[in-house]
Amino acid sequence: MQTDTPWSTLPAREHLLAAAVDAAGAPVLDVVVPVYNEEKDLEPCVLRLHDHLTRTFPYPFRITVADNASTDRTPQVADRLAAVIPQVRSYRLEEKGRGRALRTVWSHSDSPVLAYMDVDLSTDLNALLPLVAPLISGHSDLAIGSRLSRSSRVVRGSKREFISRSYNLILRSSLSARFSDAQCGFKAIRREVAERLLPMVEDTGWFFDTEMLVLAERAGLRIHEVPVDWVDDPDSTVHIVRTATDDLKGVWRVGRALATGALPLDRLARPFGDDPRDRGVPGVPGGLARQLVGFCVVGALSTLVYLALYSLFRLGTGPQVANGAALLVSAVANTAANRRLTFGVRGRGGSVRHQAQGLVVFAIGLALTSGSLAALDTASGSPSHGTELAVLIAANLAATVLRFLLFRAWVFPDRRTDHPGDRPGAAHAPRDAR
């Protein structure tokens, strides 16, 4: 994975002011059309797109034809269009790959909003303004067209429908993706986000979109989805089997990188206070509300895992051994989940120390729960399984409160220090970033 991105966090999202845009002289929107051997479809596509933007888009725009090493007359058609239409630019690459084309053109563009669409224009262009509007307004970081939204209208064969839905199901189950359609060739991104996100994206082909979206989502960037009307192109030259194979390899590679903390996603974080959820609550220390929510969610799931393991281990051993084994397994998972999700610590640095400290917290919880079981046994002799579970739940509630306090104050303390001139809510360097 490539990680040569700037260190500082992203600036706060702001609305693109018309006066500032006019002063910069660059078009607000740069729409890239990646092509490979599209000499027949390229000119109708560009003329139709140009006409639509001229009639409906209220800001200056540019259309960039990104030629992926075509071997037919596509470069000549692109050059002719660029010579005739002022808003059209032609860009030639000597290597194939849609991802490579998008990365190259977006990296060199001076427009604050970058988009792309397929040359077949399968997506209805009426969705273009809704796609880029949240990026212009500063509401979102990326925007994607979705063919799988309930309000989308899609015309395509059952084979492609099955493949698309199966692929997105794989993304949801393996990478915990929450966006609905990774493969629709209709996406946009703010330039400052692209500058830091694209160097982390390794794929240069069709998996480029998916990798970009997964990393953006894991970094906490806001992805806006637009329902689109889409008509399948029966003459598409996409090799379905080879593309699917490459995509699955990409899913494995990205999943492994995320699991090992190999990507510095901290560098894509927005400054604290940019999101309304970050706004301070009087009397509540910064970040406490979010940490409480995350800790409660992780704790609830850990408790379910613990109770299931206890019931399983209890089938073959006594209550004390079953309790200790179940609590140990769930404690390791709980520490790892809280480290990443609740307290936002990324990367492998300090993970061993955190787990060691987590085991100390585990020992305290073990003492509480084991002591409760011992007291129950002394009081009632041979308690029922249901009574044991009830006592364990009560003991775990007490242990949970203590666990949160220890996690926040000792295992994952906020080591950020204020600097002169810092304002409340200002961004600080991410902790434990590597």
Side-chain angles (χ1 to χ4, degrees):
M1 286 286 181
Q2 304 175 31
T3 58
D4 51 337
T5 56
W7 173 252
S8 58
T9 57
L10 286 166
R13 288 187 297 262
E14 295 181 352
H15 195 294
L16 299 178
L17 301 178
V21 170
D22 292 340
V28 171
L29 175 65
D30 192 349
V31 182
V32 180
V33 182
V35 292
Y36 174 73
N37 289 349
E38 298 285 358
E39 61 181 5
K40 294 182 179 180
D41 294 336
L42 178 56
E43 184 170 350
C45 163
V46 172
L47 292 179
R48 180 181 165 194
L49 176 58
H50 179 266
D51 176 68
H52 178 83
L53 288 170
T54 301
R55 290 185 294 103
T56 64
F57 195 67
Y59 292 97
F61 64 87
R62 177 195 297 134
I63 301 172
T64 301
V65 179
D67 175 35
N68 288 187
S70 295
T71 56
D72 63 359
R73 295 185 60 256
T74 298
Q76 289 76 24
V77 176
D79 291 341
R80 184 175 72 250
L81 290 169
V84 174
I85 306 175
Q87 292 89 356
V88 176
R89 182 178 66 171
S90 176
Y91 202 106
R92 168 76 176 180
L93 291 92
E94 299 302 328
E95 295 181 88
K96 290 180 61 177
R98 183 178 69 170
R100 178 180 288 107
L102 292 176
R103 187 208 315 277
T104 302
V105 176
W106 281 354
S107 298
H108 291 87
S109 179
D110 55 354
S111 297
V113 177
L114 312 168
Y116 96 88
M117 62 182 60
D118 293 335
V119 69
D120 56 19
L121 295 186
S122 295
T123 304
D124 186 1
L125 291 178
N126 287 326
L128 182 56
L129 185 55
L131 181 80
V132 301
L135 308 186
I136 294 174
S137 69
H139 175 273
S140 301
D141 299 295
L142 299 91
I144 65 174
S146 175
R147 299 163 296 182
L148 303 181
S149 172
R150 290 186 177 181
S151 56
S152 298
R153 290 181 172 86
V154 176
V155 179
R156 62 176 167 182
S158 57
K159 180 180 179 181
R160 284 183 175 269
E161 180 76 11
F162 174 77
I163 292 174
S164 179
R165 291 189 178 274
S166 298
Y167 180 63
N168 283 282
L169 180 61
I170 291 173
L171 294 181
R172 288 177 177 271
S173 59
S174 61
L175 298 178
S176 301
R178 295 189 299 274
F179 48 85
S180 66
D181 192 349
Q183 295 175 309
C184 182
F186 196 71
K187 296 181 176 69
I189 185 173
R190 285 177 67 103
R191 186 181 64 191
E192 74 269 15
V193 177
E195 288 174 349
R196 296 158 197 229
L197 177 58
L198 296 186
M200 297 185 187
V201 180
E202 185 173 321
D203 191 80
T204 59
W206 293 96
F207 186 69
F208 173 88
D209 302 51
T210 301
E211 186 171 356
M212 178 180 69
L213 292 174
V214 169
L215 299 186
E217 189 174 73
R218 286 299 186 94
L221 299 181
R222 181 176 290 166
I223 301 175
H224 178 73
E225 293 199 17
V226 178
V228 298
D229 298 339
W230 194 85
V231 179
D232 190 15
D233 177 15
D235 299 324
S236 175
T237 58
V238 178
H239 193 290
I240 296 179
V241 176
R242 183 173 62 243
T243 300
T245 302
D246 292 341
D247 286 347
L248 292 177
K249 291 179 180 177
V251 169
W252 168 256
R253 173 176 53 79
V254 172
R256 182 176 58 185
L258 292 172
T260 59
L263 289 166
L265 298 180
D266 313 70
R267 305 179 189 185
L268 295 173
R270 288 289 184 180
F272 187 83
D274 178 64
D275 192 308
R277 293 170 297 180
D278 295 332
R279 292 171 186 166
V281 178
V284 178
L288 178 58
R290 174 179 292 181
Q291 289 176 358
L292 279 171
V293 172
F295 184 82
C296 288
V297 172
V298 172
L301 295 176
S302 298
T303 300
L304 292 177
V305 171
Y306 162 76
L307 292 175
L309 290 174
Y310 176 81
S311 298
L312 178 64
F313 295 152
R314 189 67 176 85
L315 296 176
T317 185
Q320 293 290 359
V321 175
N323 173 62
L327 196 57
L328 176 60
V329 174
S330 60
V332 172
N334 180 278
T335 300
N338 276 305
R339 181 178 188 271
R340 173 65 180 84
L341 302 176
T342 303
F343 298 95
V345 181
R346 299 181 175 90
R348 287 172 288 185
S351 58
V352 175
R353 173 174 57 82
H354 293 151
Q355 281 292 351
Q357 291 173 310
L359 288 177
V360 175
V361 178
F362 151 76
I364 296 175
L366 178 62
L368 283 173
T369 53
S370 296
S372 300
L373 283 175
L376 175 64
D377 187 65
T378 301
S380 58
S382 299
S384 66
H385 182 64
T387 304
E388 286 183 353
L389 288 180
V391 170
L392 285 174
I393 290 173
N396 267 284
L397 287 176
T400 296
V401 175
L402 182 59
R403 186 183 303 120
F404 176 76
L405 295 176
L406 289 174
F407 272 174
R408 181 175 171 83
W410 179 49
V411 183
F412 307 112
D414 190 347
R415 302 184 187 280
R416 295 174 296 186
T417 56
D418 293 334
H419 298 280
D422 279 356
R423 293 167 298 152
H428 297 268
R431 52 192 176 129
D432 281 10
R434 296 289 184 269

